[in-house]
Amino acid sequence: MNYKYIICALCAICCLYGCADWDDHFDNANVAGNELTLWQQMKENPQLSDFCQVLENTKVFRMHKKTSVSYAGLLDSGQAFTVVAPVNGSFNRDSLLNLVQTNQGDSLVERFFVFNHLSRTLRSVTPDNTTMHLLNSKYAQVGPEGIEGVRVVNPNIHAKNGVLHVAERPLPYRYNIYEYLSNDRNVNLIGANLRQYEVDYFDAEHSVSSGIVEGVPVYVDSVVNEYNRLLQRIGYIDAEDSTYLMVVPTNEGWKKAWDEASKYFQYDAKVQKRDSIQQYWTNRALLDDAIFNMTDQKSPKDSLTSVQYLRSTPEYNVFYRPFDAGGILAGTQHYQCSNGELYIANEWPFTPEQTYLKEIWSEAEATYLITTEKDCTYNIRHLATDSISKGGYLHVIPRTATANWELTYKVNNTLSGDYDICAIILPKSVDNPVNPNLKPCKFRATINYVDSLGNEQSFNCGNVQFKTDPERVDTILLAENFHFPACNFDQSDIKVSVKVQCSILARETSQYAREMYLDCIYLRPRTSKSEQQ
C-alpha cells in the first residue's frame, strides 16, 4: 500500500538518513528537563517494554526502501519528538513483531502504528485543548482528558529531546477517506482504482546536491514525494488538513456503474494507449461528482456542489436536497473519517445525465470551431436573450445571390454513444424585427466521424433537405439517435464534425433565402431510459 502526505515523516527521514550526520538538517532540540533521551526514558519504564521492542525492530523506510536505522535509534538521537507510548498488554506486540519481518509488513507497522504515536510537535497535556500533528500527518486532539480520547496515565515526562506521554492504550488510527476506500472490503475496488495513479516525484529543491558530474546533477540526499495524479483532479481526499464529503457505492454497485460507463469511453484503434485512457475517463466519470469540499458548501442540506462545479455551467455538478428521498445521500451508510465524512450507497447514486453524459454545444459564433467554409461570409452577432444559446449567433451570408454555401463545425467531446444531433436556427426577426425577410432557408447536413478502427466515415442525414422556420427559434433534428462508435472525449485530434450546406436550386430563389442565423450545433445524449420516454 502506498499513501500520500506523510510529509513530516518523509522529509525528516530523507534528511536524517541521507547524510552521515543526522543533525545536518535540524538543530538539536532544546527541551529543558531530564538529561535522558526519549528512548532512555522509555527503556527505564518496565510498562513500556512491548512498545520499545516494536520500536527496536521497526526500521525507517526511505524512498520505499528499508534502512538499517530503527525508531529506537531515532528516538535516542538529538531530534525533538513528542511520543505517546501505550503500556504493555494494550496492543498485540507479537503481531506487530511478526509483521516487521518483511519489508511490506515493516512499512505497515511504520505507517499505521509508529507514525500514529510520534509527532514533531512538542506538546504537553494541559487544561487547554490543542492539537498535535502526528508523523502520519493526522491531527490528534490533546486535552485534559487525554489524547484522542485515550487516558494518559503518566503525562509530560520531559526528556532532552522531547516529551513523553504514557497512555493506557494505543491511540486510535482514524482512516482518512482515501485510506478507508483502500482498506475496507466493501469499497476497496474504488481504492484499487485510485491507487494505480500514485506516483513519486523527485524534489530537487529540497534535495542536497553534491555538484555536477559530466553535466548531470548528483545528489547525496534525495527527497522523493508522493502524489496521486487522479486525486489532483477530483479532490485531495488523502489530505489530513482538508474536510471533504464523499459518496460512493459498494463494490457491487461500483462494478455495475463502471461497466456501464466504460461503454461510453471506447476510443478508436488509432488512439494510442486507448485502454488506459478509457480506464482513466471511466474513473473520472464516476468520481468527478462524488467529492464535495465542505468549506465551499453554503447549505449542505439544501444542496451540495461538487469540486467540479463551475459558475459557467450551473446546470451541472449541483445536487439538491441530498439527504431527502431520491437524493444522492438518501439511504447511505455514514462513516466519520479523519478528514471528513464518507457515505456508502448500495448503488452509484447518480445518473449518467447528471455527470458524464452531457449535452454538447458547438456555438456557431465560436468561429475557431469552423474547419471548412465555402461561398459565404459571416458575421458574429451578440444578443442577450434566453432564446439564444450563450447570447451569440452567426449571420451567414452567401457570396453571391445564387451561391450554395457550406460551413463545417467541429464537435468536441463526443462519447461512444447515441445522440440526437440538432441545428438551432434563429428567426429572421432576430436581425430585423420590424421588416424581416420571412423566406425560409433550405439546407442539407452531413455528420463526419470515425468508426471503431479510426477510419473516417460520414452520414448524409438521410439525404433530407431541411427547411427552417423563419418566424421562430427552430431546433431542427438532423439525425435521431445517431450512434458514434468511437469516443472522442478530451482529444486534441477532433474527429467529429457537422457540415451544414445550403441546398437551394436557382429556380427556387424566389421561394427561399440563402442567408441563415445559425445559433449552434446541439447534441442531446440518448440512453435506453431516455429512449423509453
Side-chain angles (χ1 to χ4, degrees):
M1 280 185 275
N2 198 7
Y3 298 97
K4 180 188 172 189
Y5 285 120
I6 312 174
I7 293 176
C8 291
L10 287 175
C11 289
I13 292 166
C14 287
C15 293
L16 285 172
Y17 303 111
C19 305
D21 184 353
W22 292 356
D23 295 333
D24 284 351
H25 293 280
F26 297 95
D27 293 332
N28 286 338
N30 184 20
V31 180
N34 202 301
E35 290 303 312
L36 299 178
T37 65
L38 288 164
W39 176 247
Q40 291 166 340
Q41 290 273 21
M42 287 188 288
K43 286 292 287 184
E44 287 190 352
N45 188 335
Q47 288 185 298
L48 303 180
S49 59
D50 287 356
F51 187 60
C52 288
Q53 194 170 358
V54 172
L55 294 176
E56 286 176 316
N57 286 275
T58 304
K59 297 298 191 292
V60 171
F61 270 74
R62 179 174 180 273
M63 295 174 62
H64 309 305
K65 295 181 180 179
K66 184 187 289 190
T67 70
S68 61
V69 181
S70 73
Y71 279 89
L74 178 60
L75 295 175
D76 200 31
S77 72
Q79 304 310 305
F81 291 94
T82 296
V83 178
V84 182
V87 298
N88 293 349
S90 64
F91 61 94
N92 193 330
R93 178 201 62 182
D94 293 338
S95 176
L96 294 173
L97 292 177
N98 287 335
L99 274 174
V100 298
Q101 301 307 310
T102 66
N103 283 350
Q104 183 181 15
D106 196 316
S107 177
L108 292 175
V109 172
E110 179 189 56
R111 291 165 183 258
F112 289 96
F113 184 72
V114 176
F115 280 178
N116 205 48
H117 293 88
L118 271 62
S119 173
R120 284 199 172 274
T121 306
L122 295 180
R123 188 70 74 223
S124 297
V125 175
T126 69
D128 298 323
N129 291 315
T130 185
T131 59
M132 177 169 61
H133 196 200
L134 302 175
L135 288 193
N136 55 21
S137 292
K138 298 183 185 295
Y139 291 88
Q141 301 297 317
V142 182
E145 303 301 321
I147 301 174
E148 281 295 295
V150 176
R151 186 170 68 91
V152 179
V153 296
N154 193 357
N156 305 334
I157 302 171
H158 285 267
K160 71 176 183 179
N161 63 336
V163 182
L164 172 66
H165 305 295
V166 180
E168 66 176 358
R169 57 185 173 85
L171 299 184
Y173 187 93
R174 304 190 191 281
Y175 282 148
N176 60 40
I177 295 174
Y178 185 45
E179 291 170 333
Y180 196 102
L181 295 176
S182 298
N183 290 279
D184 187 88
R185 64 182 181 179
N186 293 316
V187 291
N188 58 10
L189 279 182
I190 302 172
N193 272 276
L194 291 173
R195 286 201 307 273
Q196 66 181 315
Y197 298 102
E198 291 177 343
V199 295
D200 295 338
Y201 73 93
F202 172 65
D203 187 352
E205 181 181 352
H206 294 98
S207 299
V208 179
S209 173
S210 64
I212 297 177
V213 177
E214 296 181 353
V216 179
V218 177
Y219 295 88
V220 295
D221 185 16
S222 300
V223 176
V224 176
N225 295 321
E226 303 172 353
Y227 75 99
N228 187 296
R229 293 185 292 111
L230 188 58
L231 295 189
Q232 285 193 322
R233 302 295 183 183
I234 66 174
Y236 294 106
I237 56 173
D238 53 351
E240 297 292 344
D241 56 354
S242 301
T243 304
Y244 287 102
L245 181 153
M246 186 174 187
V247 55
V248 297
T250 61
N251 285 340
E252 292 76 14
W254 171 263
K255 188 177 186 305
K256 178 182 176 182
W258 204 96
D259 289 344
E260 176 64 22
S262 65
K263 297 175 184 177
Y264 290 94
F265 294 93
Q266 295 178 351
Y267 290 81
D268 71 73
K270 294 182 180 180
V271 175
Q272 294 184 355
K273 300 182 179 180
R274 62 184 184 276
D275 291 341
S276 297
I277 298 174
Q278 178 191 25
Q279 186 176 47
Y280 174 83
W281 283 114
T282 302
N283 287 328
R284 286 285 304 271
L286 300 183
L287 293 173
D288 266 4
D289 281 310
I291 300 174
F292 306 85
N293 189 331
M294 296 311 292
T295 60
D296 297 335
Q297 310 304 319
K298 295 180 179 179
S299 180
K301 290 186 178 180
D302 294 328
S303 66
L304 288 170
T305 56
S306 79
V307 294
Q308 304 298 331
Y309 176 78
L310 296 172
R311 290 184 178 180
S312 59
T313 54
E315 68 272 25
Y316 292 114
N317 317 114
V318 182
F319 304 92
Y320 295 98
R321 309 298 296 178
F323 293 94
D324 292 358
I328 60 171
L329 301 181
T332 57
Q333 295 292 321
H334 173 251
Y335 298 90
Q336 188 67 48
C337 297
S338 64
N339 63 344
E341 299 173 275
L342 180 65
Y343 291 84
I344 299 178
N346 290 328
E347 301 280 342
W348 186 58
F350 306 94
T351 66
E353 292 85 356
Q354 287 177 306
T355 51
Y356 58 87
L357 198 56
K358 298 179 179 179
E359 298 173 341
I360 300 174
W361 301 76
S362 289
E363 297 295 333
E365 69 273 16
T367 54
Y368 62 88
L369 294 175
I370 297 175
T371 59
T372 65
E373 57 183 82
K374 180 181 178 183
D375 292 335
C376 67
T377 61
Y378 45 78
N379 298 308
I380 298 172
R381 302 285 175 83
H382 296 282
L383 184 63
T385 174
D386 292 341
S387 60
I388 299 178
S389 172
K390 302 298 183 182
Y393 62 94
L394 199 73
H395 181 197
V396 185
I397 307 163
R399 288 192 182 277
T400 66
T402 58
N404 281 331
W405 54 265
E406 65 179 53
L407 286 174
T408 304
Y409 276 88
K410 293 186 290 185
V411 179
N412 294 329
N413 295 327
T414 51
L415 304 184
S416 49
D418 302 328
Y419 293 86
D420 290 339
I421 302 175
C422 308
I424 299 180
I425 316 298
L426 300 179
K428 296 297 183 66
S429 59
V430 74
D431 186 50
N432 186 353
V434 177
N435 189 25
N437 177 357
L438 294 182
K439 292 180 182 180
C441 182
K442 189 169 63 170
F443 68 95
R444 299 181 189 274
T446 304
I447 301 167
N448 303 303
Y449 64 102
V450 296
D451 60 21
S452 59
L453 298 177
N455 298 321
E456 294 182 357
Q457 304 289 338
S458 64
F459 174 63
N460 67 0
C461 297
N463 203 30
V464 174
Q465 294 203 70
F466 302 99
K467 298 178 183 180
T468 67
D469 187 335
E471 298 186 73
R472 65 182 181 90
V473 176
D474 196 5
T475 299
I476 297 178
L477 182 62
L478 306 178
E480 184 177 10
N481 205 21
F482 182 83
H483 181 71
F484 289 108
C487 173
N488 198 224
F489 188 81
D490 194 52
Q491 296 291 291
S492 57
D493 181 11
I494 300 172
K495 301 176 181 179
V496 175
S497 63
V498 175
K499 180 171 71 174
V500 176
Q501 184 178 23
C502 184
S503 59
I504 301 171
L505 299 177
R507 67 175 182 269
E508 298 175 317
T509 300
S510 62
Q511 299 173 254
Y512 297 97
R514 287 179 170 83
E515 68 175 348
M516 178 185 285
Y517 300 96
L518 180 60
D519 189 5
C520 65
I521 303 297
Y522 163 57
L523 276 65
R524 180 172 55 230
R526 297 285 296 265
T527 63
S528 56
K529 180 179 179 181
S530 63
E531 290 165 19
Q532 295 169 2
Q533 294 177 341

